[in-house]
Amino acid sequence: MTWEILNILAVSAFAFSGAIVALNERYDIFGTFILGIATPFAGGIIRNIALDVPVVHVWEQGYLFYVALGTIAIVYFFPKTWVMTWDRWNIYPDAVGLSAFALQGASFAIENGFPLGGIIFAAILTGVGGGVTRDVLAQRRPMVMHQEIYAVWALMAGLLIGLGWINIGSAWQTYMIFLLVIICRVASFHLGWHLRFRDLYRL
């Protein structure tokens, strides 16, 4: 039940985020649905390809595929003023999707017997892969590469789970790390935290 809830939250959050970005970029209804579907499912596909395990295609996602379609339809057909209001809060569903998918990726790696490095790698790819795909399809610079602290929180979740400090077999520990990653992501956004970068245009 814990993972079903987290998967529903993650898929709906990232489908929402993808649809909002598509509407901001003035995509038509087809483009909006494509971007909205790609955002929640691309991370898992990229992870499976990178880890050389069988890929679960979008049309094999069962009820989660319909959760994504329903979320995108709500975003697309609701009044424009509502959508623009939701856009200002897009950081929150994005944080939910990042957290839930990072945990799902770490759990997937553990179930397939990967070592610590594989668990961390899977958490990062699953957590940020959808967001990167969304930004690339929207012809934006991927946020994970240049804004705030984003992938680090997925890395943190993978590290804590991989080291055994968080037992994802425990519902309360799973929800605890889920909320912790969300809080860290939202805090890093509002407080302007970011990793150090070199500015080649300043002496």
Side-chain angles (χ1 to χ4, degrees), residues 99 103 160 165-167 170-183:
S99 180
L103 299 186
L160 292 176
W165 295 355
I166 296 293
N167 177 16
S170 166
W172 77 266
Q173 290 190 42
T174 300
Y175 283 123
M176 181 186 70
I177 188 66
F178 171 65
L179 292 174
L180 178 61
V181 173
I182 292 174
I183 291 170

Side-chain angles (χ1 to χ4, degrees), residues 125-201:
L125 282 184
T126 315
V128 309
V132 171
T133 302
R134 174 198 63 206
D135 292 342
V136 170
L137 290 177
Q139 299 183 358
R140 297 179 172 185
R141 282 198 302 165
M143 178 177 61
V144 66
M145 302 295 184
H146 70 98
Q147 284 186 2
E148 305 126 21
I149 301 177
Y150 192 77
V152 171
W153 304 127
L155 184 154
M156 178 188 73
L159 179 63
L160 292 176
I161 293 171
L163 291 174
W165 295 355
I166 296 293
N167 177 16
I168 54 174
S170 166
W172 77 266
Q173 290 190 42
T174 300
Y175 283 123
M176 181 186 70
I177 188 66
F178 171 65
L179 292 174
L180 178 61
V181 173
I182 292 174
I183 291 170
C184 289
R185 168 64 187 128
V186 172
S188 68
F189 173 81
H190 287 294
L191 298 177
W193 298 344
H194 57 80
L195 299 177
R196 184 180 182 275
F197 63 92
R198 291 189 63 187
D199 190 343
L200 298 181
Y201 298 98

Side-chain angles (χ1 to χ4, degrees), residues 7-25:
N7 282 334
I8 291 172
L9 287 174
V11 168
S12 59
F14 264 14
F16 177 95
S17 178
I20 288 291
V21 170
L23 291 177
N24 275 332
E25 297 297 328

Side-chain angles (χ1 to χ4, degrees), residues 44-124:
I45 293 173
I46 294 170
R47 175 202 64 211
N48 286 21
I49 293 173
L51 297 180
D52 195 26
V53 297
V55 172
V56 178
H57 299 289
V58 171
W59 54 87
E60 297 173 333
Q61 296 289 343
Y63 70 92
L64 293 176
F65 179 68
Y66 299 103
V67 169
L69 288 179
T71 303
I72 298 164
I74 290 172
V75 173
Y76 189 85
F77 291 108
F78 263 50
K80 180 180 178 180
T81 53
W82 290 28
V83 174
M84 296 309 295
T85 300
W86 291 343
D87 182 41
R88 291 195 290 270
W89 299 92
N90 201 18
I91 173 63
Y92 296 98
D94 189 73
V96 170
L98 168 69
S99 180
F101 276 126
L103 299 186
Q104 196 258 10
S107 174
F108 177 87
I110 290 175
E111 290 176 1
N112 284 272
F114 284 92
L116 177 61
I119 295 170
I120 295 173
F121 189 61
I124 294 173

